[in-house]
Amino acid sequence: MSTLKGINNESTSRYVAEYPTLAPELPGQNLPWLQQLRKAGLSKFSATGFPTPREEEWRYTNVSAIEKKLFAPVLDFVSTQPNLQAIDPSWLKAHQLDESWSVVLVNGHFSSELSVLDNLPDGVKVMSMAAALMALPDWLQPYLGQAVQSDEHGFVAFNSAWFTDGVFIHVPTKQVLAKPIQILNIVTKADVLATTRNVVVVDCSTETTLIETFVATTDDAYLSTSVTEVFAGENATLTHYKLQAESEKAFHFGGTYVKQAQHARFTHHNFAFGGLLARCDVHTDLDQASECELNGLYLGVKRQHLDNHTRINHLKPHGISREMYKGVMDDRARGVFQGRVIVAEDAQKTDSQMNNRNLLLSNDAEVDTKPQLEIYADDVKCGHGVTVGQLDEKSIFYLQSRCVDEETARNMLTFAFANEMVDKIKIKTLHDQVLEQVLIRFPQEGIQKAWL
């Protein structure tokens, strides 16, 4: 433990020592309230550093590998514009969804050249965080840093202090968006620190679909941290997809923190495929009669470590939550699921169900799962279920009895297990992207893509 503590302190000191050089280049220097937010994040990070397994909610994830290298943000983004030419148009087209508005962030900075934001409906705002802090600071002040506090843990504190850009989205009352909004995060260089902050405000009686995609043109190591704060107004409907397909040597932290007003509906689909070490937080607070659905699929191969942490706070009566996460681990990969549902004393008539299902394809693969229910009300309906196991030999035998060889039978059952979550995607182009990621990660002999 003492060795880990020493590494953490050394890494923290190096980042903190570099901060005065970085700070003048960060957006929002003229906003006292933002400087206070950054100062709080810096203070928290200086005191605690990145999370360690000594913290209960990080007990299964050791991030000390991140601390062996000082990742550096891109400060002068204008001078790096030629790097955009290195992004192959066909590669970009494969990741930029058709029939959507697309905001592209390259190495932590907004790219107007690559983004597609034409013909937004009247009143809908989609812009870079840096631009919003210049043009609309009064709009942002009530929201930035309000869905999650810097003291949540070290990565949130780090993000609050270090973020270089991000996206601000506002959908006004009763607006129903005909197309999704995609935030496409791209890293193009080794050893880059890409730190972004997003604020999404969807007002009363709106319908919005948001997609966050994390990819890279490099196969090298880098650190990607992104925090998205969501505020869903009364009777709003927000569907949020996240596809994390980072470089296999990358480190990733992504957090989505949601405040739901009365009768608001929030659905989140999390697909965690990439990164050497990756963590995803999804936390939401439910008001009276609001609903949330959290779905997730995490696929680990080689020595990947994929950590998923969810927290559903039922604060008022008549809330409904549903959660289903599935994991498939092969080789020496390790998966983590920590799901926590908290039912407050005032949250009577809460209806909550949580399920986590895991499939191990190798004797060396591992899954740690920890579902938690904290119930302080007496008139509720709550439950959870967890399984960790290997393929059912009876199902394999059944397929073999139908003239399917054993290897193909195993592949078919593995794919069917994962594909249940992929089939929940309602956007065809995104469905095809995610399906492609599933197929390239596991041997699929005997499965023809044309069938799917």
Side-chain angles (χ1 to χ4, degrees):
M1 294 293 255
S2 59
T3 301
L4 178 61
K5 187 174 189 291
I7 293 173
N8 194 43
N9 287 342
E10 180 183 351
S11 171
T12 300
S13 298
R14 288 189 296 161
Y15 278 108
V16 172
E18 291 291 328
Y19 190 78
T21 303
L22 166 69
E25 304 297 327
L26 297 174
Q29 291 301 305
N30 61 327
L31 303 174
W33 60 268
L34 179 56
Q35 292 309 304
Q36 186 61 37
L37 175 69
R38 290 194 185 277
K39 183 179 178 181
L42 180 63
S43 177
K44 168 67 176 178
F45 182 74
S46 300
T48 65
F50 291 116
T52 76
R54 292 188 298 274
E55 300 175 42
E56 180 60 29
E57 294 187 343
W58 290 79
R59 64 181 298 186
Y60 302 114
T61 299
N62 186 340
V63 303
S64 60
I66 294 175
E67 300 159 351
K68 296 175 182 177
K69 183 178 292 187
L70 188 68
F71 297 96
V74 175
L75 296 180
D76 187 6
F77 188 62
V78 174
S79 68
T80 68
Q81 289 297 309
N83 287 335
L84 299 182
Q85 306 304 319
I87 299 178
D88 182 80
S90 61
W91 182 92
L92 180 65
K93 182 176 176 59
H95 293 90
Q96 207 164 19
L97 296 173
D98 295 334
E99 299 300 320
S100 70
W101 292 289
S102 178
V103 188
V104 180
L105 300 169
V106 181
N107 299 327
H109 292 269
F110 171 71
S111 170
S112 58
E113 292 85 350
L114 301 181
S115 298
V116 180
L117 294 172
D118 299 331
N119 302 316
L120 282 166
D122 291 342
V124 175
K125 295 179 175 62
V126 182
M127 64 179 71
S128 79
M129 180 60 68
L133 287 169
M134 290 180 60
L136 304 168
D138 293 340
W139 283 60
L140 278 169
Q141 185 174 0
Y143 300 111
L144 190 58
Q146 299 305 306
V148 62
Q149 305 298 313
S150 293
D151 60 4
E152 175 68 31
H153 55 66
F155 275 109
V156 174
F158 183 85
N159 182 279
S160 296
W162 267 262
F163 75 86
T164 55
D165 207 343
V167 180
F168 171 59
I169 297 172
H170 176 236
V171 181
T173 300
K174 295 184 179 181
Q175 185 70 251
V176 178
L177 296 189
K179 299 191 297 185
I181 300 170
Q182 180 189 25
I183 303 175
L184 178 56
N185 299 269
I186 304 173
V187 173
T188 65
K189 299 168 59 179
D191 302 333
V192 159
L193 171 62
T195 306
T196 55
R197 189 67 165 253
N198 308 316
V199 171
V200 179
V201 182
V202 292
D203 288 343
C204 301
S205 302
T206 57
E207 293 185 21
T208 309
T209 299
L210 174 66
I211 302 162
E212 290 189 74
T213 307
F214 294 85
V215 290
T217 62
T218 177
D219 295 328
D220 296 308
Y222 57 85
L223 174 58
S224 169
T225 74
S226 178
V227 170
T228 299
E229 298 184 88
V230 176
F231 302 86
E234 185 173 351
N235 203 41
T237 299
L238 174 63
T239 303
H240 183 197
Y241 297 93
K242 177 182 176 180
L243 170 57
Q244 187 274 102
E246 303 265 26
S247 157
E248 65 176 21
K249 297 179 182 177
F251 301 99
H252 173 88
F253 168 77
T256 302
Y257 304 92
V258 187
K259 298 285 188 183
Q260 297 181 235
Q262 293 185 33
H263 300 281
R265 293 170 293 279
F266 174 70
T267 302
H268 188 272
H269 302 271
N270 177 37
F271 298 95
F273 301 151
L276 178 63
L277 190 157
R279 160 90 169 211
C280 178
D281 283 6
V282 185
H283 297 177
T284 183
D285 295 342
L286 281 70
D287 206 317
Q288 182 166 335
S290 48
E291 303 176 17
C292 83
E293 180 181 351
L294 307 184
N295 299 305
L297 176 64
Y298 46 105
L299 306 180
V301 296
K302 299 180 182 178
R303 290 181 174 271
Q304 281 185 285
H305 183 107
L306 302 176
D307 186 349
N308 303 274
H309 189 282
T310 67
R311 185 189 304 157
I312 301 173
N313 291 317
H314 286 272
L315 302 175
K316 297 292 179 65
H318 299 285
I320 298 174
S321 65
R322 295 290 182 267
E323 184 169 5
M324 170 62 85
Y325 266 65
K326 283 190 167 188
V328 184
M329 297 292 119
D330 201 357
D331 304 321
R332 300 181 67 85
R334 184 177 182 184
V336 178
F337 173 80
Q338 293 190 81
R340 187 177 173 195
V341 175
I342 305 169
V343 182
E345 186 176 358
D346 293 336
Q348 304 292 344
K349 303 295 183 182
T350 289
D351 183 353
S352 177
Q353 295 293 325
M354 178 201 310
N355 283 282
N356 177 225
R357 303 284 182 252
N358 298 279
L359 184 59
L360 302 179
L361 302 182
S362 162
N363 291 332
D364 295 320
E366 180 181 347
V367 167
D368 297 291
T369 180
K370 184 182 178 184
Q372 295 175 274
L373 297 178
E374 297 181 26
I375 302 172
Y376 302 99
D378 54 16
D379 187 6
V380 301
K381 184 168 65 174
C382 299
H384 64 75
V386 170
T387 60
V388 179
Q390 298 180 325
L391 290 170
D392 181 17
E393 294 299 329
K394 291 182 180 179
S395 298
I396 296 171
F397 177 77
Y398 174 81
L399 289 173
Q400 287 182 288
S401 70
R402 298 300 187 268
C403 300
V404 177
D405 66 83
E406 182 179 356
E407 182 179 1
T408 299
R410 291 183 178 276
N411 290 340
M412 292 173 67
L413 292 170
T414 301
F415 177 79
F417 179 85
N419 195 49
E420 179 187 357
M421 309 312 294
V422 180
D423 275 348
K424 293 179 181 291
I425 303 173
K426 304 303 181 184
I427 303 167
K428 185 182 187 310
T429 51
L430 179 62
H431 174 276
D432 292 346
Q433 275 191 11
V434 174
L435 182 61
E436 186 70 29
Q437 291 290 332
V438 173
L439 291 174
I440 65 176
R441 277 171 169 76
F442 295 103
Q444 298 298 338
E445 182 178 335
I447 296 176
Q448 297 185 23
K449 193 174 180 181
W451 299 347
L452 308 176

